[in-house]
Amino acid sequence: MSKKPVKWGILGCGGISSKFANDLKLAEGAELTAVAARSLEKAQAFAEKHGFERAYGSYEEFFNDADVEIVYVGTIHPLHKEQVLACLEAGKAVLCEKPFTMNAAEAEEIVRAGRDKGLFVMEAMWTRFLPPIVQVREWLQQGLIGEVQLLKADFGFDAGWNPGGRLLNKEIGGGALLDAGIYPVSFASFVFGEQPSAIHSSAVIGETGVDEKFSALFEYEGGRTAVLNGAVRLQLTNEACLYGTKGYIHIPSFLFGKSASLHVRGEEPVHFQDDRTYSGYKHEAEAAMEALRSGRTESEVMPLDETISIMGTMDRMRKQWGLTYPADNQ
């Protein structure tokens, strides 16, 4: 039996929105309804490329499109709060690209608005919905490696030197933590189910005033720790390892999650392989649609309170570095 169709809109027509749209075409029941950008020409080109019915050159027109049920927000970080609130005001559910907001205070404002209006809202932490990560969650829930004592997770790439580009521009939320580092930070929250009791971190603040790379040690009760790294001007191995009292789990290229291996002491390794040919964003889209169909306003996999807590952890890290953004002073 086919699933009830859900009409999608996309706000922002940049690279990440294009990747999401490519996968959205594969999500059962997704109807590609409308897109919006600051430029009508850009929106029309995006709509034509990806098969959306309508294109808008103004966000206001987009918000007034009564057909759109859920909006994927793929704009630059500092615009998320204002645009998600506008979507909610227009009665639309929201899947907002990471980072959800610039800080925890903004995240709390969105969550209050969503709950007040009874609308579905979720941070688009797509990695949590990838089949290998779902498998890792099952291994952890089954206690196969015992209690996790140590997590090592990295995500970093070398974007080169482009001081005016998004990744290094402080005014538009640039920096390693919010763009790349959020993945290992969120993964630590996924693994331990809580935020660290203590954080020891350092960052290299570059010429443009943002963190180009960082390292962090998270401490949890009972001596558990996480060692995390992120970068936008340094290529890292981008893998994760979870070490437990009975064995370990290895996830090569954990961000893109196509494989994972379970190593329990005294047993043969178990390997999980995902042979998908698409990126993987369709899984978070399908989870959002299933929530809408069932009348739920939050995801159990990426709950809103956890999103707020993760933003709070990153606020703590930035405070240690003396890194603030314009949104922090509002």
Side-chain angles (χ1 to χ4, degrees):
M1 183 178 241
S2 61
K3 302 200 173 187
K4 179 178 177 291
V6 174
K7 296 181 181 295
W8 281 85
I10 289 186
L11 201 56
C13 296
I16 187 62
S17 292
S18 190
K19 290 179 181 178
F20 181 79
N22 280 332
D23 269 22
L24 189 58
K25 301 169 195 173
L26 307 175
E28 184 180 356
E31 292 192 357
L32 283 58
T33 303
V35 297
R38 293 186 184 277
S39 155
L40 178 58
E41 183 180 7
K42 187 173 183 181
Q44 288 174 331
F46 187 97
E48 183 176 347
K49 176 182 178 181
H50 295 290
F52 281 79
E53 296 174 13
R54 296 187 284 281
Y56 296 106
S58 94
Y59 294 146
E60 291 71 23
E61 288 180 291
F62 175 85
F63 296 138
N64 289 329
D65 188 327
D67 287 342
V68 175
E69 297 174 78
I70 183 169
V71 178
Y72 170 79
V73 176
T75 52
I76 58 174
H77 312 339
L79 297 181
H80 287 181
K81 186 192 85 164
E82 175 188 346
Q83 292 177 341
V84 172
L85 289 175
C87 289
L88 295 173
E89 188 62 32
K92 304 184 188 308
V94 179
L95 177 63
C96 182
E97 188 52 59
K98 60 80 197 164
F100 194 62
T101 51
M102 293 300 296
N103 54 42
E106 287 190 343
E108 289 171 350
E109 188 174 347
I110 287 176
V111 170
R112 279 196 302 271
R115 287 173 173 166
D116 285 346
K117 293 184 176 298
L119 291 168
F120 177 83
V121 184
M122 186 179 91
E123 178 184 6
M125 185 50 68
W126 67 295
T127 53
R128 293 203 180 189
F129 299 88
L130 297 175
I133 304 303
V134 172
Q135 179 62 72
V136 169
R137 180 192 292 275
E138 291 178 7
W139 286 338
L140 292 176
Q141 289 175 338
Q142 293 167 13
L144 298 182
I145 64 167
E147 182 182 39
V148 178
Q149 292 292 308
L150 170 64
L151 165 68
K152 294 169 64 177
D154 302 334
F155 181 56
F157 52 90
D158 186 357
W161 175 244
N162 180 12
R166 180 182 66 81
L167 291 172
L168 297 180
N169 189 328
K170 188 174 183 179
E171 294 303 308
I172 55 176
L177 179 60
L178 292 187
D179 199 86
I182 187 172
Y183 286 110
V185 171
S186 183
F187 194 66
S189 181
F190 165 87
V191 170
F192 290 109
E194 60 184 310
Q195 302 310 302
S197 56
I199 297 173
H200 310 276
S201 68
S202 64
V204 173
I205 306 297
E207 293 179 28
T208 62
V210 302
D211 55 312
E212 295 185 358
K213 69 182 180 71
F214 75 87
S215 296
L217 171 65
F218 287 3
E219 295 182 358
Y220 302 85
E221 298 300 325
R224 299 168 296 153
T225 55
V227 179
L228 314 174
N229 297 283
V232 290
R233 296 202 65 207
L234 184 67
Q235 181 66 50
L236 304 180
T237 57
N238 302 333
E239 63 180 3
C241 251
L242 295 68
Y243 299 93
T245 52
K246 297 179 182 177
Y248 70 93
I249 295 170
H250 179 228
I251 313 169
S253 190
F254 87 96
L255 177 68
F256 306 102
K258 286 196 174 183
S259 65
S261 58
L262 170 69
H263 303 260
V264 177
R265 281 200 302 271
E267 299 181 12
E268 287 295 313
V270 175
H271 300 282
F272 180 91
Q273 185 67 42
D274 180 10
D275 294 323
R276 69 178 188 274
T277 56
Y278 52 91
S279 295
Y281 298 95
K282 92 177 188 85
H283 297 293
E284 65 177 358
E286 289 173 340
M289 289 191 290
E290 197 53 45
L292 289 185
R293 294 184 185 109
S294 62
R296 289 183 286 114
T297 57
E298 290 194 35
S299 164
E300 296 177 354
V301 175
M302 190 67 252
L304 292 172
D305 286 341
E306 186 180 1
T307 286
I308 294 172
S309 296
I310 290 168
M311 293 306 306
T313 292
M314 294 195 296
D315 288 352
R316 291 165 65 190
M317 295 170 71
R318 289 196 294 113
K319 186 175 181 180
Q320 292 182 353
W321 311 338
L323 173 57
T324 60
Y325 291 103
D328 298 322
N329 302 316
Q330 294 176 2

